[in-house]
Amino acid sequence: MATLPPAHRPPGPRGHGREIHTLAEFDAALARPGSLAGQRIQSVDLTGRTFALLTAATAEAVFLGCPMEPEAAAKVRADGALVFPPVPELPFDPYRARLYVPEELFAGIAETGYESTPDFLAYTWFGRTRADGDIFSSMLRSLHDDAVSDALDEHLDGARVVGVMGGHAMGRGTEAYAGAARLGRSLARAGLTVATGGGPGAMEAANLGAYLARFDDAALVGALDLLSEAPSFTPSVTDWARAAFAVRAMWPDGGDSVGIPTWFYGHEPPNPFAAHIAKYFANATREDGLLARSTAGIVFLPGAAGTVQEIFDNATPNYYGSRGAPTPMVLVNRTHWTTRLPAWPLLETLATGRPMASRIALVDSIDEAPEALERLGA
């Protein structure tokens, strides 16, 4: 039977207990019978574990991007292990074992601005290599995206995930932005994990709401007021991001949510309110993975071409049942989806006579979306 690619795998137990992501896990594995045989050690600095590597059983182990001393590398290869060495002078780790966090992607922004951050450097590398025809560069991108998919599945294992889709043009300081933030907050308070495309606009607002879910109304009002001083990521990503980190400093230790952005649209920075960020090079992998992982349903806020694409990318497996039972789809703003961009009539027609017909809804206001989502998922 063919194996589903990572972006299509449903959340579930990962790695069969064989993945080692930290030195603590590495040391614990050494104490078990069989030691490291058959293990997958992922992006762990082992330069301080030379003696352990020289004495441990490592047959059929796989070392992914683990720095180690030359004699240790030679010994584990002689045992029959596979060693994928770190790639020097690369602005990202293609073997990374965890999702990104905002502080990692935006490191250095307070001192020298966005152009010095790892996020911008990775985008610059992507822009330089995406069309150069170098199979090594494309392989590194694929390795990275597969590692991110693996980390995302591990993070979401057992979670009830609801997607919030919407346009990047929704500005801070607008009522629409405030509504999207209230939506993210309501969903998070209902015990759902909010997942967005991870960018600015409606995506950021939903992640902001989830971040502030444990705080009171005054915190949301205050955060919205602070953010309105930098309403868009243009003309300055630096000012836009610094305003977000000022909010995070004012209300630290916010709630969990996920952002799934892409360097394909690298001119749009990831938003700093998603606690965990699964950033991809391949936009198709990112798009399909976001939709497939939104197992508790998706809310579609007003957007343009990208949001229309997401509606029907999600409708297709619901129509055919290719991912199992159809998941709820809630479209927000009747005028937008029936007149301005009439996606709803087509979606409703597609659903006629199919199981998905009872899983779609069109609501007038964003504040109606949580109730509609709960009703469709009952």
Side-chain angles (χ1 to χ4, degrees), residues 20-44:
I20 293 174
H21 297 160
T22 66
L23 272 177
E25 292 173 356
F26 178 86
D27 292 339
L30 289 174
R32 293 194 294 265
S35 194
L36 302 176
Q39 299 290 313
R40 280 78 173 101
I41 303 92
Q42 189 175 354
S43 197
V44 179

Side-chain angles (χ1 to χ4, degrees), residues 159-163 192-193 293-298 327-329 373-374 377:
R160 297 173 60 224
V161 182
V162 59
L192 297 163
T193 297
R293 290 177 175 88
S294 297
T295 52
I298 300 178
T327 52
M329 300 176 65
L373 189 71
E374 182 179 5

Side-chain angles (χ1 to χ4, degrees), residues 347-368:
L347 180 64
E348 192 175 35
T349 301
L350 275 173
T352 301
R354 319 238 0 146
M356 68 179 286
S358 62
R359 296 296 184 95
I360 63 172
L362 175 65
V363 298
D364 291 307
S365 75
I366 201 165
D367 293 322
E368 298 174 77

Side-chain angles (χ1 to χ4, degrees), residues 123 126 262-269 279 283 286-287 309:
Y123 173 51
F126 180 46
T262 173
W263 280 294
F264 185 81
Y265 299 128
H267 61 288
E268 295 181 14
K279 191 153 191 178
N283 186 51
R286 165 252 190 177
E287 287 273 9
Q309 176 184 339

Side-chain angles (χ1 to χ4, degrees), residues 275-302:
H276 298 89
I277 299 174
K279 191 153 191 178
Y280 288 89
F281 289 107
N283 186 51
T285 303
R286 165 252 190 177
E287 287 273 9
D288 191 66
L290 172 55
L291 297 171
R293 290 177 175 88
S294 297
T295 52
I298 300 178
V299 178
F300 296 91
L301 303 179

Side-chain angles (χ1 to χ4, degrees), residues 61-95:
V62 179
F63 294 86
L64 297 162
C66 299
M68 61 181 79
E69 298 297 340
E71 62 268 34
K75 184 267 180 184
V76 300
R77 285 192 179 100
D79 279 353
L82 286 176
V83 178
F84 293 79
V87 181
E89 299 180 6
L90 200 63
F92 60 93
D93 178 4
Y95 311 106

Side-chain angles (χ1 to χ4, degrees), residues 6 92 94 136-148 281-282:
F92 60 93
F136 184 56
S137 297
S138 63
M139 182 191 73
L140 290 172
R141 294 194 296 269
S142 296
L143 283 171
H144 170 274
D145 286 1
D146 190 77
V148 167
F281 289 107

